[in-house]
DNA sequence: TTGTATGCGTTATCAC
DNA sequence: GTGATAACGCATACAA
């Protein structure tokens, strides 16, 4: 492996000059500079990033710690993070925590040990301990779920989205909208439920119909089943996430209910399939890519030191996308 | 930032003893060892991974260079890689090349400079130059698309999958199956087309019907349109990727054709939506997660030096998943 | 502008 | 079993 000294010898200069040249310092004689560059090219020199990082006491690595990159919501966040990171010369370490506090803290430790320049974290259910990170002075941005610690964050106005979706269901003529949300310890589940409740309460004379379940397909299936088995079942459903929505769809079809006629449907998350099911599914779209991009931006500012001392909290809005599943057609 | 010397002083031992203790060397007096561990905990010591990497001349970082993590096929590969990497104590650097030779070579250089322990690469269309990597002795595994260089690889028997799918269409009673495949310079597109062609030729007396398009939704739309506008249009379609399949579905519906009755459909890739469209879509499932997991496994073996000198080539099989879209129902 | 020399925080080699 | 010390490859303070 050729190192800086080899290049220096080849070019007949000192290592300092090689270093300066390759790091684009202006104070190098153009003549020498080109001799250095030629020598480096001739020898196929590749600077050792590890040594450089050690000396500079800084890396150009970002850690992205999320539940699961296979969840389309996080996939989009990941893409957003990676795009702005790359544009600023940073690379991203991908960490799937699977909502497992153990894996999460392992990754947090890895991030700290590898001296990453910053961390973007979607904390698990029960809150996460980023105390070590903060003590170590590692810039951090929280996404999707809040943390009590005073750090930068990027969130989505879930509650407002749920509320708008519920209002829409009612406006469309559905009389008994219900909500299928996530587990109690999931903040986003709570937010979405509250959005639903506030809409229903405001309309008055409407029953509050809701159930919880895991944020997975099966959670949707069983949630729908429980609601539909009730003596006075709902006639429309707001589902808190796309994976659950697939389960709901399954259950609804199993019962022979016609979406848009017998039952109205709307779900959180613009998954790739939503506009291709029959009928197309209305959604509360979350700006997932932007969450990632903005979080990365915040982080870069923080790393560059060009951020205010106090933490900044970004709140992105959802977008209501109305398709056929939530429009009420008269039964034939 | 507390360093190893601080811990040594706190524990009243030498840095060597601290290092040995924290790296789990057995040859340390248990008494001293616990004193060291206590001191480290008391001080909140975090080993500096960068310094360690420099000294050891090795990192526990893997670079994963793929076209786009947002493509479900690559998402699954990514998850597979990350899982086995983590289980072996490695982290993964996520790199989206977007099929752009420029981005790809940038990432290749980053990987080399950061002295990653290994690289998993899905080369872009026109072939990729991993010469530098090989010269630098960086273990590399190629996935999804071949490269002439003699390195480890994990591929899918695309051709056989396409052939099985075409055979299935014919067996199901479709008389004029066609193929919508990707661009000429995409190896997988070629393989899938050839699989289709071999099936059709073997059956004899059948027209070879096929078109190419970009591996995107729009490619499916326009491909389907061109085929269906022909004087003698096909009655069934084999589509080379899931994103194209969405486009095909769109076009087919636009024309009022009933899937499974007027036209048979089957596509490559088990995307999350395939079983939820109406009617459920038959697919040629690729073992994407396994591709990633196996590639990572191969790479780890190579890194550990426990791999044979000659490159190993894994070939994973596809799985035909027959759903309603490719079964032929009599028109009502 | 250029060169020399020091140190970044570890691990590992060598004596003891 | 333990400790002193020399690398690892680079960036930079300082001297020239």
């Amino acid at each position: 492996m050729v190192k800086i000294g080899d290049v220096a010898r080849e070019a007949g200069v000192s290592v300092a000059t090689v270093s300066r040249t390759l790091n684009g310092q202006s104070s190098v004689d153009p003549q020498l500079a080109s001799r250095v560059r030629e020598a480096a090219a001739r020898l196929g020199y590749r600077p050792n990033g590890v040594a450089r990082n050690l000396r500079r006491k800084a890396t150009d690595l970002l850690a992205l710690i999320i539940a699961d990159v296979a969840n389309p919501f996080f996939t989009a966040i990941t893409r957003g993070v990676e795009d702005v990171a790359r544009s600023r010369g940073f690379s991203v370490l991908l960490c799937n925590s699977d909502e497992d506090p153990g894996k999460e803290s392992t990754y947090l430790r890895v991030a700290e040990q590898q001296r990453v320049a910053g961390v973007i974290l979607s904390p698990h259910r029960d809150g996460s301990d980023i105390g070590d990170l903060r003590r170590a002075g590692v810039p951090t941005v929280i996404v999707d779920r809040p943390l009590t610690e005073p750090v930068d964050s990027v969130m989505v106005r879930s509650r407002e989205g749920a509320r708008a979706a519920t209002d829409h269901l009612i406006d469309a003529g559905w009389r008994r909208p219900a909500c299928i949300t996530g587990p109690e310890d999931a903040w986003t589940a709570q937010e979405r439920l509250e959005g639903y409740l506030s809409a229903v309460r405001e309309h008055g004379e409407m029953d509050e119909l809701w159930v919880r379940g895991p944020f997975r397909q099966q959670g949707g299936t069983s949630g729908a089943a429980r609601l539909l088995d009730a003596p006075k079942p709902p006639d429309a459903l707001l589902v808190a996430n796309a994976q659950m929505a697939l389960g709901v769809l399954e259950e609804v079809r199993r019962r022979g209910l016609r979406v848009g006629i017998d039952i109205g449907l709307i779900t959180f998350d613009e998954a790739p399939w939503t506009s291709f099911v029959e009928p197309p599914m209305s959604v509360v779209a979350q700006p997932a890519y932007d969450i990632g991009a903005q979080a990365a931006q915040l982080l870069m500012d923080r790393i560059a030191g060009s951020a205010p001392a106090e933490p900044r909290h970004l709140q992105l809005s959802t977008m209501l996308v109305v398709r056929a599943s939530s429009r009420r057609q008269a039964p034939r």
Side-chain angles (χ1 to χ4, degrees), chain A:
Chain A
M1 191 93 285
V2 24
K3 39 198 168 192
I4 201 171
D6 303 328
V7 178
R9 197 173 324 112
E10 175 83 8
V13 297
S14 74
V15 291
T17 299
V18 176
S19 175
R20 285 194 275 252
T21 303
L22 269 30
N23 288 309
Q25 305 230 354
S26 47
S27 67
V28 178
D29 184 294
Q31 190 100 27
L32 281 194
S34 64
R35 241 167 58 205
V36 167
R37 269 186 281 273
E38 277 168 28
R42 202 156 43 235
L43 268 45
Y45 171 66
R46 288 282 179 276
N48 183 324
V50 179
R52 160 183 304 198
N53 290 343
L54 175 60
R55 173 63 226 234
R56 284 194 174 158
K57 289 170 166 293
T59 64
D60 38 16
L61 245 187
L62 262 37
L64 172 64
I65 310 179
I66 54 181
D68 178 14
V69 69
N71 176 332
F73 175 65
F74 288 116
T75 308
I77 289 183
T78 302
R79 199 52 230 252
V81 169
E82 208 265 345
D83 279 356
V84 350
R86 184 174 36 69
S87 77
R88 313 273 295 248
F90 283 71
S91 298
V92 3
L93 215 54
L94 178 67
C95 313
N96 295 111
S97 70
D98 292 319
E99 310 273 10
D100 175 344
K103 287 190 194 174
E104 184 185 285
S105 68
T106 299
Y107 273 129
L108 249 16
R109 205 176 47 246
V110 168
E112 194 181 341
Q113 297 200 174
Q114 291 306 315
R115 301 299 193 261
V116 300
V119 173
I120 294 174
L121 169 71
S122 172
H124 67 81
R125 303 243 138 85
D126 307 319
S128 304
D129 183 13
I130 60 164
D132 284 350
L133 232 45
R134 297 195 60 220
R135 268 184 292 279
V138 181
T140 305
V141 177
I142 300 299
V143 294
D144 189 41
R145 308 156 189 183
L147 218 52
T148 51
E149 317 257 346
V151 291
D152 291 337
S153 69
V154 181
M155 308 287 217
V156 171
R157 292 185 223 278
S158 257
R159 192 194 309 210
E160 284 74 2
R163 192 190 156 114
T166 311
D167 283 340
H168 156 67
L169 286 175
I170 296 170
D171 289 349
W174 304 100
R175 308 286 21 123
R176 292 178 61 73
C179 177
I180 300 181
T181 194
E184 197 161 3
D185 53 6
W187 181 79
T188 49
Q190 201 58 33
E191 287 287 299
R192 289 163 201 184
L193 174 58
E194 285 173 14
Y196 159 81
L197 287 174
S198 79
V200 161
R201 284 174 189 155
E202 181 140 314
H203 277 266
E205 325 229 331
M206 247 179 206
D207 289 338
E208 296 171 7
L209 304 163
W210 55 276
V211 294
R212 291 183 187 284
F215 266 140
R216 280 174 281 110
Q217 190 166 325
Q218 190 274 326
T221 311
S222 72
R226 267 179 295 152
L227 284 168
L228 295 170
D229 280 339
K232 296 174 67 183
D235 65 353
L237 300 173
L238 164 61
V239 187
N241 117 335
Q243 285 164 285
M244 296 181 96
L246 286 175
V248 169
L249 214 47
E250 188 177 55
E251 181 64 19
V252 159
R253 285 182 182 162
R254 209 179 56 71
R255 291 169 181 247
L257 297 173
R258 293 161 301 175
V259 175
I261 298 172
D262 304 315
I263 191 154
L265 246 43
I266 186 167
T267 182
F268 262 75
D269 292 341
E270 176 71 306
W273 53 265
T274 52
S275 57
F276 287 91
V277 292
E278 243 325 289
M281 177 87 72
S282 300
V283 303
V284 180
Q286 297 197 79
Y289 180 92
D290 287 338
I291 296 176
Q294 300 269 16
Q297 192 61 56
L298 243 46
L299 193 55
M300 312 259 53
D301 293 350
R302 193 59 75 196
I303 292 169
S306 62
E310 66 279 7
R312 289 169 300 171
H313 302 289
L314 261 47
Q315 297 246 43
L316 306 187
S317 292
T318 58
M319 195 171 75
L320 187 65
V321 180
V322 176
R323 301 199 179 99
S325 70
S326 64
R327 288 201 198 98
R328 189 163 195 206
Q329 284 178 257
R332 289 172 290 173

